[in-house]
């Protein structure tokens, strides 16, 4: 090969390499806390109050008790427990566009759980997505967020999990299609999208902000539901907390946007929503968010909830263009007044819904059943309205259990689409236009 040809090939290789690096940089985008501006330091070099670990009231508690608190903050049980199944025994199905993933058993059973995991192996799984046998985990296990959890906190969670009764429950077989069923490919995904660094406080922010950042980003992994995904199914932090469809439900915008995010909410409203799953004038949590409130946020210390709110306040505003700039006021008390998107929908609502929700949308039965002000009924996509009709809800509030029955088996896809369109027309800012086909697809996304 002559020198001129060699130079050309080297030049082409350099261009390709540079293009690949730029491409990866563009796809990967900024880190989850890059908007803070920094500077960030390792935890050992931070001079403020330690933002990791447990709240002050548990500082002197034993390792298992601290681990129990952190496991609740990380919402471990919800993803690793099936309805009616043993806690942490796995088997919960996650519907994806390319198949179904099932959560695994994380009880200390030595044959089917994590009983043989040493400390290093547990940290590898939680922070790096590497299983006991060396195989790679899929990022449905949110290790790209859990990577920020400190070793001490992760091992406290391990101590708690190992204190539980072992449950023998073999993992269900995943049904992913090619090439998504190739676990080895997660090596490359992790290399690009998992920073594999522990939480680094931002010295330009308050200790409360840093505590909120640790809770929201590392433990509660809020972005995994509320941040849109890029082409590689990693979080697109250029639209941080702008909302996304997750497990067939819409996780709404929780950026600081005043119109379509939480920028217009009072602190007390946000605290109430996270602590109880309900905020007057803003609706009630259902679906995955309802589960997160019941099993995680409602179990957190008040100062931790306030820290999360302080952090959320600073997330850059991103507008959701498909949502209205303001929510609709209460509807007329007369069923004869107001829009009727679909007469069949009105019939279903009158027969199954009005006794709890009322014609105005302001419930006389429970504030949690009030529709007025909720994003779900003001969302022209009506995804969550259809889902709650299909699946119902059971919430555990401070006043006891609150339930709405599932109507998925009682009504056809066409009837559920009709009632969803009626609800958004009557109680929201713009009527939805769901079809029976849309509802059938939603059924598929949530069936397990």
């Amino acid at each position: 090969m002559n020198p001129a040809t060699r130079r050309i090939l080297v030049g082409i290789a350099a261009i390709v390499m540079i293009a690949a690096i730029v491409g990866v940089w563009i796809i990967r985008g900024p880190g989850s806390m890059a908007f803070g501006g920094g500077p960030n330091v390792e935890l050992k070099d931070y001079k403020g109050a330690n933002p990791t670990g447990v709240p002050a009231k548990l500082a002197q508690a034993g390792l298992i008790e601290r681990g129990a608190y952190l496991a609740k903050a990380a919402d471990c049980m919800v993803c690793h427990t099936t309805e009616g199944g043993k806690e942490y025994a796995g088997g919960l199905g996650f519907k994806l566009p390319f198949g179904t993933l099932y959560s695994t058993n994380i009880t200390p059973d030595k044959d089917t759980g994590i009983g043989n995991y040493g400390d290093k192996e547990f940290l590898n799984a939680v922070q790096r997505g590497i299983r006991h046998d060396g195989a790679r985990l899929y990022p449905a296990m949110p290790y790209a967020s859990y990577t920020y959890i400190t070793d001490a906190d992760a091992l406290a969670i391990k101590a708690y999990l190992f204190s539980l009764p072992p449950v023998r429950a073999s993992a269900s077989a995943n049904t992913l299609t090619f090439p998504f069923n190739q676990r080895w490919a997660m090596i490359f995904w992790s290399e690009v999208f998992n920073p594999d660094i522990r939480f680094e406080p931002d010295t330009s922010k308050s200790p409360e902000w840093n505590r909120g950042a640790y809770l929201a980003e590392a433990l509660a992994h809020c972005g995994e539901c509320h941040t849109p995904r890029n082409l590689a199914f990693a979080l697109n932090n250029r639209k941080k907390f702008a909302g996304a469809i997750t497990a067939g439900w819409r996780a709404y915008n929780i950026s600081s946007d005043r119109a379509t995010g939480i920028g217009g909410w009072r602190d007390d409203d946000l605290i109430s929503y996270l602590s109880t799953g309900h905020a007057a004038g803003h609706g009630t949590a259902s679906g995955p968010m309802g589960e997160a409130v019941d099993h995680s946020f409602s179990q957190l210390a008040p100062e931790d909830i306030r820290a999360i709110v302080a952090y959320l306040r600073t997330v850059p505003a991103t507008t959701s263009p498909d949502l209205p700039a303001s929510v609709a006021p209460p509807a007329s008390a007369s069923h004869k007044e107001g829009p009727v998107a679909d007469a069949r929908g009105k019939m279903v609502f009158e027969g199954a819904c009005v006794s709890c929700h009322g014609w105005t949308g302001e419930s006389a039965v429970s504030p949690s059943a009030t529709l007025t002000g909720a994003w779900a009924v003001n969302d022209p996509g009506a995804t969550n309205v259809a889902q709650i009709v299909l699946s119902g809800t059971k919430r555990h509030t401070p006043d006891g259990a609150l339930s709405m029955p599932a109507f998925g088996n009682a009504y056809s896809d066409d009837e559920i689409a009709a009632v969803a369109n009626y609800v958004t027309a009557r109680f929201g800012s713009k009527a939805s236009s769901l079809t029976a086909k849309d509802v059938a697809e939603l059924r598929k996304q949530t069936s397990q």
Side-chain angles (χ1 to χ4, degrees):
M1 184 182 296
N2 62 54
T5 301
R6 186 180 295 111
R7 285 195 298 272
I8 291 172
L9 291 177
V10 170
I12 291 173
I15 291 171
V16 170
M17 183 175 295
I18 292 170
I21 292 171
V22 171
V24 168
W25 180 82
I26 291 172
I27 294 174
R28 180 166 54 189
S32 60
M33 289 168 278
F35 73 91
N40 297 84
V41 298
E42 291 187 25
L43 189 61
K44 64 182 177 60
D45 298 323
Y46 183 59
K47 305 304 181 184
N50 186 352
T52 69
V54 295
K57 69 177 183 180
L58 291 175
Q60 303 305 315
L63 183 64
I64 291 174
E65 187 177 356
R66 285 183 278 126
Y69 184 89
L70 294 166
K72 289 174 183 176
D75 208 13
C76 303
M77 190 187 74
V78 167
C79 287
H80 288 275
T81 307
T82 59
E83 185 175 355
K86 296 287 183 68
E87 291 184 358
Y88 299 103
L92 188 68
F94 296 86
K95 289 284 185 177
L96 303 170
F98 37 82
T100 302
L101 276 171
Y102 292 92
S103 65
T104 54
N105 181 349
I106 57 170
T107 73
D109 182 68
K110 290 185 178 294
D111 295 323
T112 64
I114 61 171
N116 288 318
Y117 276 58
D119 287 355
K120 183 177 179 181
E121 292 165 322
F122 188 82
L123 292 175
N124 276 338
V126 170
Q127 298 168 338
R128 301 173 187 90
I130 302 174
R131 215 165 57 179
H132 168 67
D133 59 2
R136 294 286 171 153
L137 296 173
Y138 289 102
M141 193 288 197
Y143 57 83
S145 293
Y146 285 164
T147 193
Y148 297 113
I149 298 177
T150 65
D151 290 2
D153 285 352
L155 293 178
I157 292 173
K158 175 178 179 282
Y160 167 67
L161 293 175
F162 272 61
S163 75
L164 301 174
V167 177
R168 185 173 182 82
S170 299
S172 300
N174 298 325
T175 61
L176 303 184
T177 57
F178 184 84
F180 302 102
N181 61 352
Q182 303 299 303
R183 283 187 180 271
W184 59 267
M186 294 300 100
I187 295 173
F188 305 104
W189 190 96
S190 293
E191 190 66 30
V192 176
F193 298 112
N194 181 14
D196 192 18
I197 57 173
R198 310 298 82 81
F199 181 77
E200 295 181 340
D202 184 332
T203 61
S204 70
K205 301 294 190 297
S206 69
E208 183 180 50
W209 186 96
N210 278 294
R211 176 62 175 171
Y214 184 67
L215 289 163
E217 300 293 348
L219 289 166
H221 55 280
C222 303
E224 298 287 341
C225 287
H226 288 276
T227 297
R229 303 271 170 177
N230 61 25
L231 292 175
F233 291 93
L235 300 185
N236 177 9
N237 285 310
R238 293 185 178 90
K239 297 181 179 179
K240 184 176 179 62
F241 290 177
I245 299 292
T246 304
W249 290 76
R250 181 166 182 174
Y252 287 103
N253 187 335
I254 56 170
S255 77
S256 59
D257 183 65
R258 292 192 62 81
T260 60
I262 58 169
W265 291 42
R266 299 178 307 138
D267 282 0
D268 286 348
D269 293 335
L270 286 168
I271 290 169
S272 176
Y273 196 84
L274 289 174
S275 301
T276 70
H278 175 77
H282 298 288
T284 302
S286 300
M289 187 62 197
E291 292 177 335
V293 170
D294 287 348
H295 299 289
S296 180
F297 292 116
S298 66
Q299 310 297 311
L300 300 187
E303 61 267 32
D304 277 351
I305 295 295
R306 288 194 296 271
I308 293 172
V309 170
Y311 176 71
L312 292 177
R313 289 293 190 202
T314 69
V315 175
T318 300
T319 300
S320 298
D322 60 330
L323 294 179
S326 59
V327 297
S332 170
S334 172
H335 70 90
K336 297 179 181 179
E337 299 177 5
V340 179
D342 192 313
R344 295 167 302 167
K346 181 179 180 181
M347 288 177 61
V348 174
F349 185 84
E350 187 169 13
C353 314
V354 73
S355 60
C356 285
H357 299 293
W359 289 111
T360 65
E362 296 189 307
S363 175
V365 175
S366 168
S368 295
T370 289
L371 302 176
T372 305
W375 269 128
V377 300
N378 284 276
D379 176 5
T383 298
N384 290 6
V385 173
Q387 285 289 26
I388 199 167
V389 174
L390 283 168
S391 307
T393 186
K394 185 172 183 179
R395 294 290 324 290
H396 299 279
T397 69
D399 299 325
L402 178 73
S403 299
M404 172 180 157
F407 292 102
N409 294 328
Y411 292 101
S412 67
D413 293 344
D414 192 60
E415 289 170 319
I416 290 173
V419 74
N421 293 337
Y422 174 76
V423 165
T424 54
R426 182 170 185 84
F427 305 111
S429 300
K430 182 181 178 181
S432 57
S433 54
L434 281 184
T435 65
K437 183 179 179 181
D438 296 328
V439 175
E441 188 58 35
L442 289 175
R443 286 186 193 268
K444 292 178 185 178
Q445 292 182 51
T446 53
S447 61
Q448 297 167 1

